Amino acid sequence: VNTDNTVTEPWMYSSCTDYIREAIKFRYRLFPYMYSLMYRSHTEGLSILEPLCLAFQNDKNVLETFTEFMMGESLFVAPVVEQGAKKRRFYLPSGYKWYNFWSRQEFDGGKEYEIPVDLGDVPLFVRSGAIIALSDNQMFNLATETVTDLHLLLACDASSETTSEFTLYEDDGITMNYEDGDFLKTRITLKNGVQTSIEFVKEGNYKSSVENILLDIIAHEKCPFFVRLNDSEIPHFINRKEWENSKTGW
């Protein structure tokens, strides 16, 4: 086992390989979101990971926060950094509602919280108005596998009329063909309010590998009466199996 901290590999921690495996699998699921943030960083110079003092400059309570950070504009990360920790205390920035990524529990911003944790926990919180692109098909090799099932996590805030945007970026990930227009930028616009709408505007010539899109909407304050796709109502399924077997529905 390495003891001088020059090399750290998962196989060096045999008692934790299950935790490490799940973390790596989740990182692969985050690939569409992370790749889009890399494109944003390349074109706009914005960091993929942002300290809270940069992301929330009007909230003085985050000025001395050093271990929490934002991944993009939507995902708040509070890593467990203390050995043997059973609880994690953190402050959620004001001006937003926040949702536990794993349980969808709602939290008010501008307050400090403490939650139970163990070695396998990675506390993540989704900002209201968030648009987070995930892969529903589990990948293990980005050189040979692609996203076929796109999972869009959207956090609505029905308490106000708000609009948020996220640009999903795709290319072949290998060649320089994107310089000749072989890319696809999909601007996703989420409009919150009494009626929630999601709009997709595409730019570029790249043929996406995505075959299915799942819209996973956090909206604690309301339940949908109907769902329209391009002005046509789509079928509503009560039975989950029937929904999974359908091409389109909710």
Side-chain angles (χ1 to χ4, degrees):
V1 176
N2 170 63
T3 57
D4 62 4
N5 293 321
T6 57
V7 178
T8 300
E9 297 289 349
W11 53 263
M12 294 177 175
Y13 305 93
S14 57
S15 63
C16 302
T17 50
D18 288 342
Y19 296 129
I20 296 169
R21 182 183 298 109
E22 291 305 312
I24 292 174
K25 288 170 64 177
F26 178 64
R27 183 173 182 270
Y28 275 102
R29 287 199 61 217
L30 276 172
F31 170 72
Y33 184 61
M34 294 176 66
Y35 198 61
S36 299
L37 292 179
M38 291 175 189
Y39 170 77
R40 187 190 72 166
S41 179
H42 170 69
T43 56
E44 301 180 25
L46 294 173
S47 175
I48 296 171
L49 306 181
E50 295 184 34
L52 299 187
C53 60
L54 175 62
F56 304 98
Q57 299 180 27
N58 295 323
D59 190 340
K60 63 181 181 181
N61 293 308
V62 304
L63 296 180
E64 296 185 4
T65 300
F66 305 108
T67 54
E68 296 83 28
F69 59 89
M70 292 294 295
M71 176 179 283
E73 297 180 345
S74 298
L75 202 55
F76 175 99
V77 187
V80 179
V81 295
E82 296 180 4
Q83 184 174 358
K86 299 299 182 184
K87 295 181 180 180
R88 180 63 160 92
R89 182 178 291 274
F90 54 88
Y91 170 84
L92 288 172
S94 62
Y96 303 93
K97 288 185 181 296
W98 298 87
Y99 304 93
N100 185 305
F101 180 91
W102 309 106
S103 69
R104 307 298 170 84
Q105 180 182 354
E106 182 179 309
F107 295 82
D108 292 324
K111 297 181 180 180
E112 193 172 78
Y113 297 93
E114 186 176 78
I115 61 173
V117 296
D118 61 26
L119 187 60
D121 285 324
V122 181
L124 301 174
F125 294 85
V126 178
R127 179 181 61 82
S128 58
I131 303 172
I132 301 174
L134 305 160
S135 174
D136 248 3
N137 59 299
Q138 182 64 61
M139 297 182 293
F140 297 95
N141 188 329
L142 297 178
T144 60
E145 298 174 303
T146 59
V147 179
T148 58
D149 298 293
L150 184 67
H151 184 145
L152 291 178
L153 177 60
L154 308 119
C156 298
D157 185 358
S159 61
S160 60
E161 298 281 343
T162 58
T163 300
S164 54
E165 291 186 350
F166 177 76
T167 298
L168 177 68
Y169 179 81
E170 300 170 79
D171 62 21
D172 63 21
I174 300 172
T175 70
M176 302 293 286
N177 292 347
Y178 68 90
E179 294 184 341
D180 298 320
D182 194 21
F183 63 84
L184 182 62
K185 291 194 293 185
T186 304
R187 188 175 74 250
I188 305 169
T189 302
L190 172 64
K191 295 182 180 180
N192 296 305
V194 175
Q195 183 171 330
T196 298
S197 67
I198 302 112
E199 181 182 66
F200 299 83
V201 177
K202 298 180 181 295
E203 174 190 349
N205 300 318
Y206 178 71
K207 181 175 174 54
S208 175
S209 61
V210 173
E211 300 172 0
N212 302 296
I213 299 177
L214 172 66
L215 301 182
D216 181 359
I217 300 176
I218 303 175
H220 288 181
E221 299 88 352
K222 58 183 179 179
C223 179
F225 290 102
F226 57 84
V227 177
R228 290 195 179 105
L229 176 63
N230 295 329
D231 296 325
S232 298
E233 286 195 26
I234 63 175
H236 177 206
F237 294 93
I238 303 298
N239 183 285
R240 184 177 181 89
K241 280 293 183 182
E242 291 180 359
W243 173 76
E244 291 174 347
N245 293 329
S246 69
K247 184 176 180 180
T248 304
W250 68 283

